[in-house]
Amino acid sequence: MRKFDISFIKAGWGLTREYWRSTERWLAGGLLAAIVALNLGDVYLLVRLNEWNNGFYNALQRYDQKAFFGALGTFSILAGIYILVAVYELYFQQMLEIRWRRWMTEHYLQNWLRKQHYYRMQLQNNGSDNPDQRISEDIRLFVSSTLTLSLGLLKAVVTLISFTAILWNLSGVLTIPLAQGKVAIPGYMVWTAAGYAILGTWLTAKIGRPLVKLNFNQQRYEADFRFSLVRLRENSESVAFYQGESQEESNFTGRFKKTFENFYKLMKRQKRLTWFTSCYGQIAIIFPFLVAAPRFFSRQIQLGGLVQTASAFGKVQDSLSFFVSSYASLAEWKAVLNRLVGFNQQIDSIESSREQTAFQFIAGNEPQFTVSGLKVGLPNGAILFDNFELKLRKGDSLLITGPSGSGKSTLMRTFAGIWPFSEGKVSIPRGEKILFLPQKPYLPLGTLREVLLYPYGTGTAADDRLKEILSQCQLEELIPYLDTVENWSQLLSLGEQQRIAFGRALLHQPQWLFLDEATSALDEPLERTMYGLLQTKLKDLTIVSIGHRQTLLALHQLRLHIDKRSPLHFSDARQSGEIPRYSRRSTAS
Ligand SMILES: Nc1ncnc2c1ncn2[C@@H]1O[C@H](COP(=O)(O)OP(=O)(O)OP(=O)(O)O)[C@@H](O)[C@H]1O
């Protein structure tokens, strides 16, 4: 038999603990105390209602009208309190749930965004699929299920203790005649309820075990399907140009097929479990009457006693069967837990690989941008550059050229310190501003002002300055839309987006600017204008550009040509001064 694994409880506690130690712990603790108190009040009311059964049914049996109406009055009071408790129990639970979720979401978001984990996760993806889903869906499910299940468990335990005592007193002694005399079993109803629940729990665990994995997969397939739909929305124009609808459709249906097939398996397994739990629940209604009937027919107890005993039996059996009734939720909770733990483990593994890597990205005291002993690889282990050296001084302008796929952008990623498959040292002058304009201009969602000021946020530049920059980048027509929210990356042409990127450089005034094919969509005069702006408006700016165009040569003093088939080639148009050092695998020519 497989060993019962409780490590998930430890993992669950690991995730839960952080919130209960956070700055919100006092308020959260207060809310939890209120919910627990209401929960206990709930159980107390159940005990009172159980006693009420006795009086009410005995009154009916005695045809005692006064006692009957008296019992109805008691019931009204109990029911009123019960309603009040139920309303506030849910209200406080939801309040705690949303606060806890907010805290966890912020915590996960910070972890995901910190040190570019979102980027590395994508590059080093070994198991953490769809982090967006983990942050939105899984946290929500985790918080709500943890609360529901743990409060359910608490209620079950308190109910069990209260009603076991009641049932023990009510059930009397069962005497079984044997050949050599009689055996008396005190509290036999309690033993019967326990036996019934233990059998049910064991069978439920046996039938329901595969649900954990099925739930895990279901959530993953759902997220994959949703992600593919979002991708189409983001790339609708390209797909429309290609008329790629049928390919997209087969991709969607392929992904949905997995969701469908897994759901079918889930459904079948759940059907088996429901067969069992429903039978179990129905038998549980009649079972206590059957067990208590001998004492009723032998007139040891009255109708009220029978109903009260049956109800107490039901409660004991019900609380003992907590596992049976919650198995499906428990399976889902465990799947969610595995996904969140997987997310954390992936971040830990990124952190430890970062510690082990021999790459240093530092702010140095030297006034130059220095690259030394650089080795750049790919995830598959291939090496793009080895022993690469480069030194750039203030005011230099370097153009990196080379055939497509030769590694120019990857080199730029390494210069930015974001490429995890590198070794060596990159040093930028301390305290100086460095800006990278990537190949794909990124325009966030929001107003044009936010787009232009990205990533420094609004309020960092006056309106006049923004307008001036838009004019300089020949984007005057956008001035009236500074505060308009649009999907700008879909609305603006690629050339306009690239000019927005230049606008950002003018605004943020970096001393070191790296451009990866940042003018590929501009015509040549506009390209010249943009570079002219950088040179006139940004003093002592050092520029490193990647590009294919010949026209870029005239705009840079230095050139580095990369080609996998030959050594790096460096040329200096100034023909004077100190030449930056460079090399790769072989000596430079
Ligand atoms: N995330 C990645 N995973 C695996 N391989 C990658 C990844 N990114 C880049 N590569 C590979 O690294 C090589 C260099 O790519 P890179 O984008 O640096 O080339 P490039 O010279 O900038 O090309 P282009 O001029 O077409 O933009 C290519 O063979 C590419 O397939």
Side-chain angles (χ1 to χ4, degrees), residues 123 378-379 403-410 413 419 439 517 548:
L123 287 174
L378 289 178
S404 170
S406 54
K408 303 181 296 296
S409 296
T410 310
R413 291 176 193 126
W419 189 247
Q439 203 165 10
E517 297 189 38
H548 292 282

Side-chain angles (χ1 to χ4, degrees), residues 77-92:
I77 297 168
L78 289 177
I81 303 173
Y82 187 83
I83 292 167
L84 196 74
V85 168
V87 168
Y88 278 94
E89 204 180 323
L90 179 67
Y91 181 66
F92 289 148

Side-chain angles (χ1 to χ4, degrees), residues 174-210:
L174 180 72
T175 317
I176 304 173
L178 289 176
Q180 290 94 1
K182 292 173 183 172
V183 173
I185 308 175
Y188 76 100
M189 293 282 283
V190 174
W191 301 118
T192 318
Y196 186 71
I198 289 167
L199 180 72
T201 304
W202 180 70
L203 285 170
T204 307
K206 226 173 145 48
I207 301 169
R209 180 170 289 145

Side-chain angles (χ1 to χ4, degrees), residues 421-442:
F421 313 99
S422 39
E423 291 175 18
K425 193 164 120 185
V426 172
S427 165
I428 55 162
R430 191 185 303 281
E432 298 204 341
K433 230 185 206 175
I434 182 162
L435 188 68
F436 286 85
L437 304 187
Q439 203 165 10
K440 299 176 195 153
Y442 172 67

Side-chain angles (χ1 to χ4, degrees), residues 7-55:
S7 61
F8 76 95
I9 298 178
K10 233 172 113 185
W13 172 238
L15 282 191
T16 308
R17 188 177 49 195
E18 293 171 20
Y19 178 63
W20 297 94
R21 286 180 178 168
S22 74
T23 47
E24 288 204 17
R25 64 183 181 277
W26 293 113
L27 189 77
L31 277 172
L32 186 66
I35 298 165
V36 168
L38 288 168
N39 227 295
L40 298 181
D42 204 2
V43 178
Y44 172 74
L45 285 167
L46 288 177
V47 171
R48 294 294 309 271
L49 280 168
N50 176 265
E51 286 166 9
W52 175 88
N53 275 324
N54 197 337

Side-chain angles (χ1 to χ4, degrees), residues 280-537:
Y280 182 83
Q282 291 305 309
I283 295 171
I285 299 172
I286 214 74
F287 191 62
F289 284 101
L290 272 176
V291 185
R295 295 187 70 227
F296 177 71
F297 289 116
S298 64
R299 294 179 189 270
Q300 290 176 47
I301 49 172
Q302 284 190 299
L303 177 64
L306 178 70
V307 176
Q308 193 188 3
T309 309
S311 136
F313 182 94
K315 292 280 176 282
V316 170
Q317 182 278 123
D318 217 28
S319 41
L320 279 170
S321 310
F322 169 77
F323 187 63
V324 178
S325 51
S326 313
Y327 196 87
S329 325
L330 210 59
E332 191 183 54
W333 179 79
K334 192 164 179 267
V336 164
L337 179 69
N338 290 346
R339 296 169 62 81
L340 289 176
V341 168
F343 180 95
N344 290 342
Q345 280 169 348
Q346 173 120 28
I347 291 201
D348 290 346
S349 96
I350 289 173
E351 281 297 306
S352 70
S353 72
R354 200 196 291 272
E355 277 164 24
Q356 284 159 16
T357 172
F359 179 72
Q360 282 179 289
F361 184 77
I362 55 166
N365 293 325
E366 292 175 17
Q368 300 105 329
F369 172 82
T370 319
V371 178
S372 48
L374 190 69
K375 184 172 176 179
V376 181
L378 289 178
N380 64 8
I383 302 296
L384 283 176
F385 300 94
D386 200 2
N387 200 19
F388 182 98
E389 307 271 331
L390 181 71
K391 209 170 242 187
L392 290 174
R393 293 162 305 168
K394 250 183 200 157
D396 279 346
S397 56
L398 169 71
L399 175 66
I400 302 176
T401 55
S404 170
S406 54
K408 303 181 296 296
S409 296
T410 310
L411 191 60
M412 194 73 104
R413 291 176 193 126
T414 313
F415 289 171
I418 63 170
W419 189 247
F421 313 99
S422 39
E423 291 175 18
K425 193 164 120 185
V426 172
S427 165
I428 55 162
R430 191 185 303 281
E432 298 204 341
K433 230 185 206 175
I434 182 162
L435 188 68
F436 286 85
L437 304 187
Q439 203 165 10
K440 299 176 195 153
Y442 172 67
L443 308 192
L445 298 173
T447 60
L448 186 63
R449 179 190 304 275
E450 285 162 336
V451 166
L452 201 53
L453 288 165
Y454 188 83
Y456 296 102
T458 50
T460 47
D463 267 22
D464 287 346
R465 178 82 183 119
L466 296 180
K467 288 176 189 166
E468 183 192 355
I469 294 225
L470 284 175
S471 306
Q472 286 169 348
C473 297
Q474 305 191 10
L475 292 167
E476 300 85 348
E477 67 284 2
L478 294 180
I479 289 176
Y481 303 106
L482 265 179
D483 289 308
T484 309
V485 177
E486 278 290 355
N487 190 348
W488 292 105
S489 55
Q490 293 211 343
L491 205 91
L492 299 179
S493 73
L494 190 55
E496 286 170 329
Q497 293 185 36
Q498 291 189 336
R499 276 181 279 155
I500 292 271
F502 272 87
R504 279 180 192 154
L506 294 175
L507 260 174
H508 302 319
Q509 307 252 317
Q511 284 89 12
W512 303 83
L513 183 62
F514 293 78
L515 307 109
D516 187 354
E517 297 189 38
T519 51
S520 58
L522 303 182
D523 56 66
E524 286 159 12
L526 207 48
E527 179 180 75
R528 231 180 357 261
T529 312
M530 290 301 121
Y531 270 90
L533 272 174
L534 295 180
Q535 271 146 9
T536 53
K537 303 287 176 194

